[in-house]
Amino acid sequence: MFPCVLKAVDVVFSVSSASRCVGRYCSRRAPPRRLLRVAQALDGSEVGSSVTVQGWVRSVRSQKDHLFVHVNDGSSLQPLQIVASSELSDSLLTFGSAVEVAGRLKESPSGKQRVELLADRIDVVGGCNTLDFPFKTKERHGLEYLRQYPHLRCRTNVFSSLLRIRSVAAAAVHSHFTENGFVQIHTPVITSNDCEGAGELFQVEVRSFKIKSKNNGTKEPDQNFFSVPAFLTVSGQLHLEVMSGAFSRVFTFGPTFRAENSQSRRHLAEFYMVEAELAFTRSLEDLTAVMEDLFRSVTERVLTQCPEDVDLFHQRVSPGHRVGTARVQYDVLGITYTEAIDILNRSSHQFSFPTTWGCDLQTEHEKFLVRHCGDVPVFVTDYPYDLKPFYARDNRDRPQHTAAAVDLLVPGVGELCGGSLREDRLDLLTARLAQYLDLRRFGSAPHGGFGMGFERYLQCILGVDNIKDVVPFPRFSHSCLL
Amino acid sequence: MFPCVLKAVDVVFSVSSASRCVGRYCSRRAPPRRLLRVAQALDGSEVGSSVTVQGWVRSVRSQKDHLFVHVNDGSSLQPLQIVASSELSDSLLTFGSAVEVAGRLKESPSGKQRVELLADRIDVVGGCNTLDFPFKTKERHGLEYLRQYPHLRCRTNVFSSLLRIRSVAAAAVHSHFTENGFVQIHTPVITSNDCEGAGELFQVEVRSFKIKSKNNGTKEPDQNFFSVPAFLTVSGQLHLEVMSGAFSRVFTFGPTFRAENSQSRRHLAEFYMVEAELAFTRSLEDLTAVMEDLFRSVTERVLTQCPEDVDLFHQRVSPGHRVGTARVQYDVLGITYTEAIDILNRSSHQFSFPTTWGCDLQTEHEKFLVRHCGDVPVFVTDYPYDLKPFYARDNRDRPQHTAAAVDLLVPGVGELCGGSLREDRLDLLTARLAQYLDLRRFGSAPHGGFGMGFERYLQCILGVDNIKDVVPFPRFSHSCLL
């Protein structure tokens, strides 16, 4: 019944010629020239070829005999310069319009770009009224201004760079874990659990048809779709723990939710989290090694694959944070919570929140610790037992009673990752709660895991101050645009 | 402020030796032997080495002098055979228990496996009460039986194979698009839009604290968290369309939701969808080429990377669907909706649903068409205009009035993908609706896109009948287990 699948392997290699005939469509498709993306045109390998390029106009400059048009299609930060006879001038050829340009690629005489396109045809396929368009050519708009136009801000250099970096970082997360033997689990968004036992949840109900209701009364929403109250997940941890009973390494990477009514620069209602769970852990170092590898590996891939986009942020969005192009080795430090409290109490800095042993570390404390350690990532381990959720493994180290939990603090952001060894001892858990027990009854192995806030990661590597500027469509209290 | 980032590139290469000192943990970690995953041990390259392996016991067989224990850690379908002196026997060493085994890898004298582990130590780190454990050693449990144990079914061969395949297929989707210049967009789960304008939606509200409410009245949920009604997304299309105004190729791959009160084998409340959007499309072939490439490329990677897991399904779950190991070329056919209706009406088959021009194609029709075309994937194009949503591009081909929409039908499943060219002509859209207009005002380019149901894809390649068996934690009406 599935011969197509069983037959699929060999054929794949014959498919790469994309012009295969698919039914009656083949006759429709005969582009006269090679279609190139802007990034391909810019790489120089096609100089001398006759090509077609499609994209959006970033600037138009008219000289006596020539037009200079910059076209971008999102494949690179750099636009392609089009040089055309002024006869090709067109009143529709404006900033923001969508164009298709045919011509020949040549080396550019200017030092500003390697390659330019000598056009013999420019088609405006979609005009743009520049008076109505909220962005102006050559103008740099602030991130707050851009945030008002969620459906258009992807047309700006800074936000298209952000989205390319986000895409590369997301692919890097997948590649890094896959190459290291982790199985990806699609943990559910809708759940009947409340993993953290804290924080405000979003509840999910079937839409109430208040408008359509004919009897003028309010039709109650159907709360029984799932037969139990259902919420948007705050963490995939429990579901990963289930899977770490069969796969010794698993990860998930998807949206998570908090209904905190916060207007802060640090919180979103919907954000992305990378979470991993490992079985047969011996100590927190089994986790910190994985957290550190993840951070280094993803960052290395981002810096290698989109250096221009990252540079744009370090130059324009977080100027002063750029320390030349020197990329030398750094160490990740590790301190205990107890040592962290000592550092805070020995400092002369005035903190807004208390720093006595047993208090939770606030962002001001975390940022201070990072600076104190030389602006490098810092692991803080062995937090007070009472600060951590029931599933964190008891260190049994009274009188300083701690849990085997760890946070990774990074420059500019504070907490980036949080993780713990999980309590795998059935007798200790029994004393605490029932729901969790069946996961420990059948071949329980010591395990641990962590989560990394993906937006915070992007803020950290790019120096972006407001979390709303590193997500394509931010959701927060009183805002659900688009 | 972010020196760590700028310094990160070079150091990555020095990190691979995982034993770097991270603060005070280094002294804790000194495993005497190399820790190998089962898949690594099985590949034969470490024969002769002293190693440690961790995992869960799949079977224990006692002979006079020897114990034979099969251990699996989720890294492969095949377990590793442990051979130990019967002195290492332990009453806790049962089916399902978690163990750590140290010994020497050697070639196996048996023909059943290439490699086995001669153990000199077996530690049971977590026992398993086999009387309570719902699965029995060597027994094959049905998929329906397994579905009752969402927290344990990953311990079975068939479901761990499914999850490995799902993970490989998901990674393949990311790799395929990334290698072809698509930018991944994290389209939001929470949205104030209803993309399809049809179907039941889940509404999102802040949890109502009915239990905690002290005044004995029912506290109303805060419907104003976002200041507008908010729903779980049914499609990322609109958000991809936004992005296709700046990136000529984008994709999204994440959870989508339908509140249909359906108990069918074909529907979930939460499922994964792969969606892509392309700008500057000329005809439906621009879409069908991408859909076909995606299907072939992901399938090729799955068959290459987990052949044993796929074979398990073709042998055990969908026996009879396996057509030898011949993997030869197949063609994907293309027919129009009008031709499809002709085929249905010329057949002698009795359909439950009508087959007059203008009727929607039902699953029975789709499966018939696939069989009629020789059990290969079939594109059906140019559907009646009135069957498709407002955003599908009008073919303007009266009297047979159709839209430039396409579905991909596959053996055993029916519709796998659906897509269309989008109406990019502002005047035609104006006649239909206002909300969508701002996306066409500024450099509108012809574009189109499609979505592929990821679970249906897995059903198709594996021959799995019930969609609940290809998702780790199924959510459907009256069920939200875990």
Side-chain angles (χ1 to χ4, degrees), chain A residues 6-7 10 20 24 37 127 155 181 189-190 203 205 225 245 270 292 327-328 382 442-443 475 478, chain B residues 6-7 10 20 24 37 127 155 181 189-190 203 205 225 245 270 292 327-328 382 442-443 475 478:
Chain A
L6 294 159
K7 292 172 184 173
D10 295 339
R20 283 188 70 251
R24 65 200 194 82
R37 312 195 72 211
R155 297 274 193 99
V189 164
I190 300 174
Q203 186 155 8
E205 283 162 8
F225 186 91
E270 174 174 348
E292 188 176 340
R327 286 167 176 166
V328 295
D382 303 301
F442 307 114
R475 274 78 178 92
H478 306 299
Chain B
L6 294 159
K7 293 173 186 173
D10 294 338
R20 284 187 71 251
R24 65 200 193 81
R37 312 197 72 212
R155 297 275 193 97
V189 165
I190 299 174
Q203 187 156 10
E205 284 162 6
F225 186 90
E270 174 176 347
E292 188 176 341
R327 285 164 176 169
V328 295
D382 303 302
F442 307 114
R475 273 79 179 94
H478 306 298

Side-chain angles (χ1 to χ4, degrees), chain A residues 266 337 341 344 351-355 359-369 383 387 409 413-415:
Chain A
R266 293 171 52 81
Y337 169 88
I341 290 292
L344 297 175
F351 296 105
S352 313
F353 292 90
T355 57
C359 290
D360 214 350
L361 295 183
Q362 304 295 327
T363 306
E364 60 166 352
H365 305 144
E366 292 170 346
K367 290 188 175 181
F368 181 89
L369 290 168
Y383 280 79
L387 284 184
L409 315 182
V413 168
E415 182 190 342

Side-chain angles (χ1 to χ4, degrees), chain B residues 195-468:
Chain B
C195 173
E196 296 284 336
E200 298 278 311
L201 298 178
F202 288 110
Q203 187 156 10
V204 175
E205 284 162 6
V206 173
R207 176 170 59 172
S208 53
F209 293 94
K210 288 187 179 171
I211 296 162
K212 292 180 184 170
S213 181
K214 293 229 167 151
N215 56 6
N216 209 18
T218 304
K219 196 176 164 191
E220 273 300 297
D222 176 9
Q223 301 215 4
N224 284 317
F225 186 90
F226 294 110
S227 299
V228 289
F231 306 98
L232 297 187
T233 184
V234 297
S235 162
Q237 181 193 321
L238 176 67
H239 300 93
L240 284 189
E241 282 198 72
V242 165
M243 294 301 170
S244 76
F247 302 93
S248 47
R249 297 175 180 190
V250 287
F251 81 102
T252 187
F253 179 24
T256 42
F257 304 86
R258 296 280 192 292
E260 283 167 64
N261 204 329
S262 162
Q263 290 289 346
S264 93
R265 289 178 295 104
R266 293 171 54 81
H267 292 97
L268 289 170
E270 174 176 347
F271 59 98
Y272 272 70
M273 194 137 73
V274 179
E275 293 176 273
E277 197 77 21
L278 293 94
F280 299 98
T281 47
R282 294 163 182 278
S283 74
L284 274 181
E285 202 209 356
D286 291 328
L287 293 187
T288 56
V290 175
M291 290 157 86
E292 188 176 341
D293 277 0
L294 174 70
F295 184 83
R296 289 183 193 266
S297 160
V298 174
T299 306
E300 189 263 341
R301 291 170 208 234
V302 168
L303 292 174
T304 305
Q305 291 175 45
C306 30
E308 290 182 339
D309 293 312
V310 174
D311 282 349
L312 179 80
F313 274 84
H314 290 164
Q315 283 167 19
R316 273 217 240 144
V317 179
S318 49
H321 299 324
R322 188 186 167 79
V323 190
T325 51
R327 285 164 176 169
V328 295
Q329 202 156 340
Y330 67 89
D331 280 319
V332 175
L333 296 184
I335 56 175
T336 65
Y337 169 86
T338 304
E339 288 165 351
I341 290 294
D342 281 350
I343 291 166
L344 297 174
N345 284 329
R346 281 204 312 268
S347 88
S348 57
H349 190 88
Q350 291 295 316
F351 295 106
S352 312
F353 291 90
T355 58
T356 47
W357 201 98
C359 289
D360 214 349
L361 295 182
Q362 304 294 327
T363 306
E364 59 167 353
H365 305 143
E366 293 170 346
K367 290 189 175 179
F368 180 89
L369 289 167
V370 168
R371 280 195 305 274
H372 175 87
C373 293
D375 269 338
V376 295
V378 179
F379 286 114
V380 179
T381 59
D382 303 302
Y383 280 79
Y385 187 67
D386 292 338
L387 284 184
K388 292 296 172 182
F390 72 92
Y391 49 70
R393 198 172 199 269
D394 191 345
N395 277 333
R396 308 191 100 176
D397 60 344
R398 295 175 186 281
Q400 277 194 333
H401 190 208
T402 62
V406 56
D407 283 354
L408 174 59
L409 314 182
V410 294
V413 167
E415 181 190 343
L416 175 69
C417 303
S420 71
L421 300 184
R422 316 307 188 191
E423 189 55 81
D424 56 299
R425 294 159 293 192
L426 191 59
D427 54 335
L428 290 186
L429 263 182
T430 310
R432 297 197 85 169
L433 69 120
Q435 185 190 21
Y436 214 57
L437 298 185
D438 226 26
L439 298 185
R440 300 293 183 275
R441 215 185 289 281
F442 307 114
S444 173
H447 61 292
F450 67 90
M452 179 179 88
F454 187 62
E455 281 77 15
R456 288 197 185 171
Y457 170 75
L458 293 173
Q459 286 184 276
C460 163
I461 63 166
L462 300 177
V464 175
D465 212 36
N466 194 317
I467 197 168
K468 301 179 186 73

Side-chain angles (χ1 to χ4, degrees), chain B residues 15-43:
Chain B
V15 173
S16 52
S17 62
S19 56
R20 284 187 71 251
C21 169
V22 179
R24 65 200 193 81
Y25 291 107
C26 33
S27 60
R28 287 199 199 164
R29 200 197 210 196
R33 298 152 188 267
R34 275 198 64 206
L35 189 60
L36 286 193
R37 312 197 72 212
V38 165
Q40 294 171 314
L42 287 174
D43 79 12

Side-chain angles (χ1 to χ4, degrees), chain A residues 7-24:
Chain A
K7 292 172 184 173
V9 164
D10 295 339
V11 72
V12 174
F13 305 106
S14 70
V15 173
S16 51
S17 61
S19 57
R20 283 188 70 251
C21 168
V22 178
R24 65 200 194 82

